[in-house]
Amino acid sequence: MKRNIIITGGAGFIGSHVVRLFVNKYPDYRIICVDKLTYAGNLANLADVEDKPNYAFVKADICDYDLMCRLMREYEVDSIIHLAAESHVDRSIKDPFTFARTNVMGTLSLLQAAKVYWESLPEKYEGKLFYHISTDEVYGALELTCPEGRKDEVSAHEVYGDEFFVETTKYNPHSPYSASKASSDHFVRAYHDTYGMPTLVTNCSNNYGPYQFPEKLIPLFINNIRHRKPLPVYGKGENVRDWLFVEDHARAIDLIFHRGNVAETYNIGGFNEWKNIDIIKVIINTVDRLLGRKEGEDLDLITFVTDRAGHDLRYAIDSRKLKNELGWEPSLQFEEGIERTVRWYLDNQEWMDRITSGEYEKYYESMYKNR
Ligand code: NAD
Ligand code: TYD
């Protein structure tokens, strides 16, 4: 094998797209998916690659340092693409410790396991890479200076403010989730600066697409509309998110893994800002149309509920560095991406039903009963 790559969190939403892309595109790379299979991890997300000869799955907790050291040696790992994390802001508000454990201590455990193994080799860090996947949420929140939206001359898309997150934007996380991701980013950079480990960090905007756990806005709402359940819109639905189709994120990761400069940070985003209430209306119309209902018939499912504590107002990524230096651009228009996404969830009801039976119901009720 030309490379032995651990992809952590590969059974989750984004990780499963990255694993699929690498396993199929690079038959001469061995891809070792390391995942604890928490509530968010699902081997069904990887069913189409599980029999490939260049793929291996290891059920493991990244916080288990001894096991991480063993995996590094056993598989002679030369690269890590690190996606494993607790990823849902609402859960982090209820249970911050789990986020500190996995996102901070788990990342540290992996970094140290990689350091010890790579430093034991004659060539040391040559040909090695620790690639850490992070989020735009570490930068904090942007102002909504154009609440009605305006066309932006740079991006030629609708924007809701004058500022954007760039790679040098100061970290200012607000939620326990983003605080834990910020901390892990700092540790990754510290391993480069202190020990000379070749590291890379990318900060991406909100992803959408197939295989996302239905606690996040888009799959949750698609499923609720299908079953005609209320759609809990936090606050007034005015918050703005910058949405990127997950396969475009996976393509960016592939490109940056192979051609990104060590120790650099790249922001990844689609220049695709939407107010929550507007994207929700698009989702309702799309689900209604694809289910043969009258478009807009389910708009009355919208239910305004108590806002999320510390709810960041606006995220907007400036990804021009990635475009200018490595030539990456999103391949999919949002209209096409959302149509493909809604169609996928409606066509894969069994996948959804498996996840949303049992424990999920209890969790969902506990999350929403107080709103
Ligand atoms: P996800 O919650 O869907 O998947 C996370 C995966 O990590 C799951 O398979 C889970 O089982 C695994 N995991 C959790 N704790 C673990 C542990 N202790 N040991 C091993 N595995 C563990 O998350 P996602 O949305 O796919 O996000 C993946 C990464 O991308 C995260 O690091 C997240 O911060 C980042 N990110 C996500 C988004 C987004 O919009 N979803 C945007 C930018 C960045
Ligand atoms: P989410 O998908 O949880 O991603 P993030 O918080 O990481 O951006 O939420 C996207 C936006 O949708 C966010 O502004 C919160 C809002 N939201 C709701 O209004 N209702 C919901 O039930 C959920 C899950 C999110």
Side-chain angles (χ1 to χ4, degrees):
M1 287 288 174
K2 258 168 81 180
R3 301 192 76 150
N4 295 313
I5 307 171
I6 281 186
I7 300 183
T8 69
F13 166 47
I14 302 171
S16 64
H17 289 274
V18 178
V19 167
R20 180 174 300 102
L21 178 66
F22 273 69
V23 167
N24 289 326
K25 188 169 172 187
Y26 304 107
D28 52 353
Y29 290 3
R30 189 205 317 267
I31 304 301
I32 307 115
C33 172
V34 173
D35 199 297
K36 184 182 174 185
L37 298 181
T38 66
Y39 78 94
N42 183 354
L43 285 178
N45 298 356
L46 291 166
D48 54 331
V49 296
E50 67 187 10
D51 293 329
K52 300 272 176 159
N54 62 332
Y55 171 73
F57 175 75
V58 182
K59 184 174 186 308
D61 186 338
I62 54 166
C63 300
D64 185 339
Y65 171 68
D66 292 338
L67 181 53
M68 292 306 114
C69 288
R70 211 180 79 210
L71 294 178
M72 293 299 296
R73 287 194 306 271
E74 261 179 34
Y75 287 99
E76 300 177 354
V77 172
D78 55 69
S79 313
I80 297 176
I81 305 178
H82 176 37
L83 295 106
E86 289 292 336
S87 69
H88 189 41
V89 174
D90 293 331
R91 284 185 192 252
S92 81
I93 294 168
K94 291 215 151 189
D95 175 21
F97 281 104
T98 306
F99 282 69
R101 182 184 178 275
T102 286
N103 299 359
V104 185
M105 291 309 289
T107 300
L108 185 54
S109 145
L110 264 182
L111 281 164
Q112 184 65 14
K115 173 182 182 289
V116 167
Y117 175 60
W118 290 339
E119 287 188 353
S120 75
L121 301 173
E123 77 278 12
K124 302 209 182 293
Y125 288 122
E126 209 185 302
K128 311 296 188 294
L129 183 65
F130 190 106
Y131 179 179
H132 178 62
I133 307 300
S134 192
T135 165
D136 59 357
E137 304 193 22
V138 296
Y139 297 125
L142 294 166
E143 297 289 325
L144 212 101
T145 46
C146 325
E148 299 314 315
R150 64 163 169 82
K151 283 271 176 249
D152 180 58
E153 45 303 339
V154 176
S155 66
H157 286 267
E158 192 100 45
V159 297
Y160 290 93
D162 299 295
E163 278 189 283
F164 296 85
F165 296 136
V166 290
E167 286 78 1
T168 49
T169 300
K170 204 166 153 244
Y171 275 31
N172 186 18
H174 297 128
S175 72
Y177 164 63
S178 53
S180 67
K181 290 296 290 186
S183 172
S184 64
D185 296 7
H186 291 318
F187 269 109
V188 173
R189 295 192 178 106
Y191 266 64
H192 171 267
D193 296 349
T194 308
Y195 307 112
M197 181 182 287
T199 61
L200 258 172
V201 179
T202 53
N203 298 80
C204 189
S205 61
N206 284 61
N207 284 215
Y208 71 97
Y211 299 110
Q212 188 168 31
F213 192 84
E215 63 185 350
K216 306 277 168 65
L217 180 77
I218 292 183
L220 174 70
F221 278 30
I222 293 172
N223 196 42
N224 281 12
I225 299 163
R226 184 188 176 110
H227 295 291
R228 293 215 156 101
K229 285 188 183 167
L231 306 175
V233 180
Y234 300 164
K236 295 184 185 147
E238 275 179 352
N239 303 65
V240 172
R241 295 293 182 264
D242 180 357
W243 293 94
L244 179 68
F245 191 63
V246 63
E247 288 178 15
D248 276 326
H249 188 189
R251 279 180 42 248
I253 291 172
D254 176 19
L255 181 70
I256 293 162
F257 177 82
H258 288 98
R259 296 200 13 233
N261 289 320
V262 161
E264 287 285 338
T265 297
Y266 297 92
N267 278 356
I268 309 173
F271 282 117
N272 182 38
E273 290 182 49
W274 284 83
K275 275 193 186 180
N276 288 344
I277 194 67
D278 294 334
I279 207 171
I280 288 163
K281 288 178 183 162
V282 171
I283 296 166
I284 294 173
N285 286 335
T286 312
V287 175
D288 281 347
R289 177 166 45 78
L290 293 178
L291 286 178
R293 299 178 186 168
K294 196 164 142 272
E295 254 186 57
E297 188 180 327
D298 288 310
L299 281 168
D300 60 0
L301 293 176
I302 290 178
T303 310
F304 292 98
V305 298
T306 311
D307 208 354
R308 172 187 279 171
H311 197 174
D312 286 337
L313 195 50
R314 171 175 169 253
Y315 301 143
I317 277 270
D318 180 342
S319 54
R320 278 179 296 166
K321 174 175 169 179
L322 182 55
K323 182 180 176 190
N324 295 339
E325 290 187 13
L326 300 182
W328 177 89
E329 275 187 291
S331 68
L332 219 61
Q333 291 294 317
F334 181 70
E335 290 65 26
E336 197 188 335
I338 202 74
E339 175 95 11
R340 266 177 66 179
T341 301
V342 172
R343 209 179 272 284
W344 188 87
Y345 286 100
L346 297 180
D347 288 349
N348 288 274
Q349 193 57 37
E350 205 184 308
W351 179 91
M352 182 66 89
D353 287 345
R354 282 221 181 115
I355 292 180
T356 53
S357 58
E359 282 304 304
Y360 175 89
E361 279 299 329
K362 276 190 240 153
Y363 165 75
Y364 191 75
E365 274 165 31
S366 80
M367 284 306 270
Y368 296 104
K369 76 171 177 232
N370 297 326
R371 282 194 183 273

